[in-house]
């Protein structure tokens, strides 16, 4: 059972044959678990653009209704990117939701946020993410949840792990994350990792052009959605609201 936002929905890992047009690390993990257990079901309630309160309000009850044995939850990245955020206040509700998920008998996996300190744009959020991470670790300790420590996965400092929008993991990133999660679950199977070309070396002019293109096609539209109160997930439904076999 996968809960969250675009990270868990699978944005950045395109697959036109799947609901919402994406695959993602959670699908890849489910595929491996289902190969080992033919009776295992999989549901993914994550929707891109969702913030903490919406994720908890929309996804926790349906998840509990399906009586899961494993639940993954990552929520907070979209809140951290806002101009103002009360991280402590948000994580009071998060803490309550984690307690309910753990009390259901499920094994609960919580994610820390990524260390974007090397990014000139997203590096400004590093302090907020560090505070968020410490709160998530504390919540995991309190309730006996398991941490998937994204902050310490240094392989994601490679730009090939990221999609062209520089906000979401690429197919390589999603496959790598799937194997990290499978490792935390101590599962013997591994997800196939796609081949990728060498990281291109750009001149200053080429880098400037790439940055301008990114601002026009990704950063600009993202800012406009924030200003107009819209979300990239508006109109979308969960990929797999009921248990399925992939």
């Amino acid at each position: 059972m996968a809960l969250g936002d675009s990270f868990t929905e699978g944005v950045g890992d395109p697959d036109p044959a799947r609901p919402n047009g994406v695959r993602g690390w959670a699908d890849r993990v489910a595929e491996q678990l289902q190969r080992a257990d033919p009776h295992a079901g999989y549901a993914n309630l994550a929707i891109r653009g969702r913030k903490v309160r919406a994720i908890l309000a929309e996804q926790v009850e349906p998840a509990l209704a399906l009586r899961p044995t494993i639940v993954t939850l990552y929520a907070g990245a979209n809140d951290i990117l806002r101009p103002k955020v009360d991280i402590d206040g948000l994580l009071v509700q998060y803490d309550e939701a984690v307690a309910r998920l753990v009390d259901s008998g499920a094994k609960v996996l919580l994610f820390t946020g990524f260390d974007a300190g090397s990014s000139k744009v997203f590096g400004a959020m590093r302090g907020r993410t560090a505070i968020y991470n410490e709160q998530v670790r504390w919540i995991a300790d309190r309730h006996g949840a398991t941490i998937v420590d994204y902050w310490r996965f240094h392989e994601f400092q490679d730009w090939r792990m990221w999609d062209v929008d520089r906000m979401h993991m690429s197919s390589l990133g999603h496959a790598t994350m799937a194997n990290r999660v499978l490792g935390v679950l101590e599962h013997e199977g591994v997800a196939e990792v796609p081949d990728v070309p060498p990281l291109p070396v750009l001149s200053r002019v080429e880098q400037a052009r790439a940055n301008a293109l990114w601002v026009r096609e990704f950063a600009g539209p993202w800012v406009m959605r924030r200003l107009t109160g819209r979300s990239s997930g508006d109109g979308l439904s969960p990929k797999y609201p009921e248990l399925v076999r992939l």
Side-chain angles (χ1 to χ4, degrees):
M1 176 69 63
L3 313 182
D5 54 26
S6 58
F7 172 81
T8 301
E9 184 188 351
V11 176
D13 186 13
D15 186 340
R18 300 191 184 220
N20 296 353
V22 293
R23 187 181 183 188
W25 67 264
D27 285 21
R28 293 169 184 267
V29 168
E31 289 160 10
Q32 293 300 317
L33 297 179
Q34 290 181 339
R35 285 177 181 171
D37 181 0
H39 302 292
Y42 167 59
N44 188 326
L45 306 182
I47 296 180
R48 66 195 71 179
R50 291 296 195 265
K51 294 189 286 186
V52 168
R53 290 192 174 95
I55 290 169
L56 301 181
E58 298 171 4
Q59 299 176 24
V60 172
E61 289 295 342
L64 290 171
L66 293 174
R67 302 178 66 180
T69 55
I70 300 174
V71 179
T72 70
L73 172 62
Y74 184 24
N78 290 310
D79 298 84
I80 288 171
L81 289 172
R82 294 305 188 273
K84 294 182 180 180
V85 59
D86 177 8
I87 294 174
D88 293 332
L90 285 176
L91 290 184
V92 169
Q93 297 180 9
Y94 180 99
D95 177 73
E96 294 169 352
V98 171
R100 294 188 63 202
L101 293 169
V102 171
D103 288 346
S104 75
K107 181 180 181 65
V108 178
L109 274 60
L110 306 178
F111 290 74
T112 57
F114 174 65
D115 181 3
S118 62
S119 169
K120 293 180 180 179
V121 176
F122 300 109
M125 301 295 109
R126 193 181 193 215
R128 288 183 177 184
T129 304
I131 294 170
Y132 167 89
N133 288 350
E134 284 306 302
Q135 291 280 41
V136 169
R137 291 189 180 102
W138 178 73
I139 290 169
D141 288 344
R142 270 170 40 93
H143 299 296
T146 300
I147 286 289
V148 181
D149 209 347
Y150 196 9
W151 179 268
R152 297 179 181 175
F153 296 168
H154 299 297
E155 65 267 35
F156 285 90
Q157 298 298 333
D158 185 331
W159 275 107
R160 290 173 295 183
M161 295 287 185
W162 298 90
D163 192 27
V164 292
D165 67 4
R166 306 183 188 180
M167 301 177 191
H168 299 99
M169 293 184 297
S170 64
S171 294
L172 174 62
H174 278 282
T176 303
M177 182 58 69
N179 285 328
R180 281 290 196 170
V181 174
L182 288 165
V184 170
L185 292 172
E186 299 182 344
H187 184 72
E188 292 182 358
V190 293
E192 182 180 356
V193 177
D195 293 329
V196 293
L199 191 65
V201 177
L202 302 180
S203 67
R204 288 187 178 182
V205 171
E206 291 171 330
Q207 185 63 59
R209 288 174 179 166
N211 290 341
L213 181 63
W214 175 74
V215 169
R216 183 171 68 250
E217 295 193 358
F218 300 106
W222 184 87
V223 171
M224 286 302 299
R225 287 197 298 273
R226 302 289 80 73
L227 294 176
T228 57
R230 293 179 292 119
S231 169
S232 57
D234 289 347
L236 290 181
S237 299
K239 290 167 59 177
Y240 300 113
E242 302 291 341
L243 296 175
V244 298
R245 293 281 305 175
L246 295 179

